């Protein structure tokens, strides 16, 4: 069920193993089944509409809302089978333990790192932590290429000149990246 997040984003999930945050490919699907009842999934930091639609299409009862630290510690996660977070929500051991006392079985991190999740606390409470380690790969590559082209064409200097009222066309020509006949 939680893999609908991955399918919606075209990514693969990886369980977080132990406290060392080692990643591996799951040998079997992660299940949060609760005897055929609709699986309740909480999304705390927002997701793309396509991801929310994919979760709902997979049969999940999806709730999208933010929780305060007090609500988390008071056991708000106990009403959900899974919670999907991004970087704005921090899940401490006490919140995970309170959630695991109810229905919580999986924490999905829609992103690369799990530094905002107490992984040891999750494992101690029997909660599986998964993330999407390749989530930002395309964005990082795009940004890297954009910065390389900007540096090759001296765009930072051209931008500063334009903002100060100067048109610095010759310095902005930069390096030619291809020889034309």
């Amino acid at each position: 069920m939680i893999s609908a997040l991955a399918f919606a984003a075209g990514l693969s999930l990886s369980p977080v193993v132990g406290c060392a945050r080692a990643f591996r490919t799951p040998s079997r699907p992660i299940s949060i089944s609760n005897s055929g009842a609709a699986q309740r999934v909480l999304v705390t930091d927002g997701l793309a509409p396509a991801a929310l639609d994919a979760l709902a299409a997979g049969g999940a009862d999806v709730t999208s809302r933010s929780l305060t630290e007090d609500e988390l510690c008071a056991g708000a996660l106990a009403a959900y089978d899974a919670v999907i977070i991004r970087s704005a929500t921090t899940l401490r051991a006490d919140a995970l333990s309170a959630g695991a006392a109810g229905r919580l079985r999986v924490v999905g991190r829609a992103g690369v790192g799990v530094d905002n999740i107490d992984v040891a606390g999750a494992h101690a409470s029997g909660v599986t932590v998964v993330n999407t380690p390749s989530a930002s790969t395309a964005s990082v590559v795009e940004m890297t290429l954009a910065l390389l082209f900007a540096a090759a064409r001296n765009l930072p200097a051209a931008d500063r000149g334009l903002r100060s009222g100067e048109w610095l066309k010759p310095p902005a020509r930069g390096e030619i990246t291809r020889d034309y006949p």
Side-chain angles (χ1 to χ4, degrees), residues 4-130:
L5 166 67
F7 294 131
L11 305 169
S12 62
L13 292 172
S14 292
V16 177
V17 181
C19 300
R21 296 185 184 143
F23 302 101
R24 66 175 174 81
T25 303
S27 58
R28 60 183 170 75
I30 296 168
S31 174
I32 57 171
S33 176
N34 57 5
S35 306
Q39 297 169 345
R40 299 195 67 211
V41 177
L42 173 65
V43 179
T44 62
D45 299 334
L47 285 178
L52 295 173
D53 292 344
L55 288 166
D61 175 13
V62 181
T63 302
S64 184
R65 73 182 210 82
S66 297
L67 296 174
T68 66
E69 190 70 30
D70 291 338
E71 290 173 310
L72 289 169
C73 293
L77 298 178
Y80 299 94
D81 297 292
V83 59
I84 299 172
I85 67 170
R86 296 182 69 141
S87 57
T89 300
T90 298
L91 294 178
R92 298 186 336 220
D94 51 352
L96 293 163
S97 176
R103 296 173 64 158
L104 186 64
R105 297 294 169 257
V106 176
V107 173
R109 169 63 165 93
V112 176
V114 291
D115 54 323
N116 56 334
I117 303 168
D118 185 333
V119 176
H123 285 282
S125 298
V127 175
T128 301
V129 176
V130 296

